[in-house]
Amino acid sequence: MPPKQRTVRTGEPPQSAPPAQAAQNLTSTRERILDIALELFTDQGYDKTSLRDIAERLGTTKAALYYHFARKEDILLELHLRLHALSHEALEQLSNLEDGQARADAWPGLIDHLIDQVVDNRELVLLHQRNHRALEQLQHSERHQAENEDVEQQFRRILQSSAIPLERRVRMACSISAVVGALVGGEAVFGEVPMSELAELVRSAAHDLLA
């Protein structure tokens, strides 16, 4: 009688897999879970989506899903942090510039980068627009607070620089508010406008502020 083969649950890497391959499998499954959750949270809402819904779309069991995320809130938090990551690298590079004028000169590039990232990640933006109540519950998460504080510190480091004229700093702050307000939070007002068209209008308005 042939030896009984060990069954491996979907969503977990085989125990015999090399460490690098196992880590890659875990990351791949985790990203698939997040992508599926993003689609479901955006289409039918966070409150109306269950972990079972996500597991069934993934083709696994709810129990296997717990291997990667203990709670549905943890999935939402990871998706929220994806939005933070859209401009994090560019913002960090900008804040690391020691010369205030160099930061001011590089700011229009940050605006363009942020607009392009919002267009390329429209579903992520829609998730935030359509699930305000659920996202508000994340504010008490220590990780969420730490991430927010990190982003806010980077903005403050740039906008509080006395090496940049006050008028310029005000225009820089207004330009980022224009992008966030019109693109990230503007579905209720501009929902009928194609994202690509709205993005170019916002880009023009932001650069007018910086002129």
Side-chain angles (χ1 to χ4, degrees), residues 58-128:
L58 182 65
T60 187
T61 65
K62 183 178 177 181
L65 204 65
Y66 285 129
Y67 186 84
H68 299 274
F69 295 100
R71 305 176 305 160
K72 189 172 70 167
E73 292 87 344
D74 296 333
I75 298 177
L76 184 63
L77 177 58
E78 288 297 328
L79 291 173
H80 173 66
L81 295 180
R82 277 185 175 185
L83 188 65
H84 281 216
L86 295 184
S87 61
H88 183 77
E89 182 179 352
L91 185 58
E92 185 174 6
Q93 291 176 354
L94 200 63
S95 64
N96 287 336
L97 294 174
E98 295 183 3
D99 180 71
Q101 186 58 48
R103 292 177 180 179
D105 291 342
W107 189 266
L110 172 69
I111 294 297
D112 285 335
H113 173 79
L114 180 58
I115 292 173
D116 292 340
Q117 289 295 319
V118 169
V119 172
D120 291 341
N121 294 272
R122 184 172 183 273
E123 279 195 352
L124 197 57
V125 175
L126 291 176
L127 166 75
H128 286 73

Side-chain angles (χ1 to χ4, degrees), residues 12-26:
E12 298 183 33
Q15 295 299 312
S16 59
Q21 182 64 48
Q24 183 177 357
N25 291 343
L26 280 173

Side-chain angles (χ1 to χ4, degrees), residues 139-154:
Q139 294 180 1
H140 302 295
S141 162
E142 291 184 4
R143 187 179 175 197
H144 176 268
Q145 292 175 349
E147 289 284 343
N148 271 353
E149 179 62 24
D150 181 55
V151 172
E152 289 175 3
Q153 284 184 355
Q154 292 185 64

Side-chain angles (χ1 to χ4, degrees):
M1 182 175 179
K4 186 176 180 181
Q5 293 184 345
R6 181 179 181 277
T7 301
V8 178
R9 290 190 301 173
T10 302
E12 298 183 33
Q15 295 299 312
S16 59
Q21 182 64 48
Q24 183 177 357
N25 291 343
L26 280 173
T27 301
S28 176
T29 302
R30 183 182 176 86
E31 290 304 308
R32 286 175 58 207
I33 292 171
L34 291 172
D35 290 340
I36 289 170
L38 173 60
E39 181 180 346
L40 291 174
F41 291 167
T42 301
D43 290 345
Q44 62 189 38
Y46 173 82
D47 292 333
K48 295 182 179 179
T49 300
S50 66
L51 287 176
R52 186 178 301 278
D53 293 331
I54 299 172
E56 289 178 353
R57 181 72 67 89
L58 182 65
T60 187
T61 65
K62 183 178 177 181
L65 204 65
Y66 285 129
Y67 186 84
H68 299 274
F69 295 100
R71 305 176 305 160
K72 189 172 70 167
E73 292 87 344
D74 296 333
I75 298 177
L76 184 63
L77 177 58
E78 288 297 328
L79 291 173
H80 173 66
L81 295 180
R82 277 185 175 185
L83 188 65
H84 281 216
L86 295 184
S87 61
H88 183 77
E89 182 179 352
L91 185 58
E92 185 174 6
Q93 291 176 354
L94 200 63
S95 64
N96 287 336
L97 294 174
E98 295 183 3
D99 180 71
Q101 186 58 48
R103 292 177 180 179
D105 291 342
W107 189 266
L110 172 69
I111 294 297
D112 285 335
H113 173 79
L114 180 58
I115 292 173
D116 292 340
Q117 289 295 319
V118 169
V119 172
D120 291 341
N121 294 272
R122 184 172 183 273
E123 279 195 352
L124 197 57
V125 175
L126 291 176
L127 166 75
H128 286 73
Q129 293 173 345
R130 297 174 181 179
N131 295 278
H132 286 296
R133 184 176 301 176
L135 287 163
E136 287 176 355
Q137 302 303 313
L138 299 178
Q139 294 180 1
H140 302 295
S141 162
E142 291 184 4
R143 187 179 175 197
H144 176 268
Q145 292 175 349
E147 289 284 343
N148 271 353
E149 179 62 24
D150 181 55
V151 172
E152 289 175 3
Q153 284 184 355
Q154 292 185 64
F155 274 113
R156 286 196 295 268
R157 190 178 299 120
I158 298 169
L159 296 175
Q160 291 179 348
S161 174
S162 60
I164 305 174
L166 176 60
E167 180 184 359
R168 181 68 175 179
R169 283 186 280 150
V170 170
R171 289 179 180 273
M172 290 162 64
C174 288
S175 67
I176 199 72
S177 297
V179 174
V180 174
L183 285 184
V184 179
E187 185 192 26
V189 179
F190 306 115
E192 77 287 354
V193 181
M195 176 63 79
S196 58
E197 179 181 348
L198 180 60
E200 291 311 307
L201 291 172
V202 172
R203 193 190 308 274
S204 176
H207 280 281
D208 282 348
L209 284 168
L210 296 172

